[in-house]
Amino acid sequence: MSDAVGPGDLVLCVNAAPNHATGRPAPLQAGETYRVIGVMEFACPCGRSDALLDIGVDFAWCQTRFRLLPKPKAQAMQRRTWAPREKETTR
């Protein structure tokens, strides 16, 4: 996943279990989205991932806790064009 995730991407937290390296409770909330600040190409001590994600909460988190959210697709908006109305002349 590390090659698909980059700074500025949105990720969904799917695992808010305690930190598996220290055992401390994680300040993350399952089901919340976070913006990735940076991707550190460093193998996680758990051995399940090849990168750690910096999301601005504590230091870095194993990427297995997150799922990449799809980027919103740009949609073309139709603009309304206003044409002058033709006036009927009555005599």
Side-chain angles (χ1 to χ4, degrees):
M1 181 169 110
S2 63
D3 56 339
V5 177
D9 287 341
L10 288 176
V11 290
L12 176 70
C13 178
V14 294
N15 183 359
N19 189 324
H20 54 263
T22 63
R24 294 187 333 204
L28 306 174
Q29 296 292 323
E32 284 193 5
T33 57
Y34 297 93
R35 186 164 303 276
V36 176
I37 297 172
V39 178
M40 292 167 263
E41 299 295 330
F42 179 77
C44 185
C46 71
R48 292 181 283 188
S49 69
D50 59 349
L52 298 174
L53 301 181
D54 182 10
I55 56 169
V57 178
D58 274 354
F59 178 62
W61 298 97
C62 180
Q63 69 180 3
T64 59
R65 293 180 179 265
F66 303 98
R67 297 292 174 262
L68 180 64
L69 291 175
K71 293 184 181 180
K73 295 181 180 178
Q75 297 178 358
M77 295 180 62
Q78 289 184 345
R79 293 187 176 189
R80 289 187 179 182
T81 56
W82 297 98
R85 291 187 180 178
E86 293 183 21
K87 294 183 180 178
E88 289 183 26
T89 55
T90 56
R91 292 185 187 198

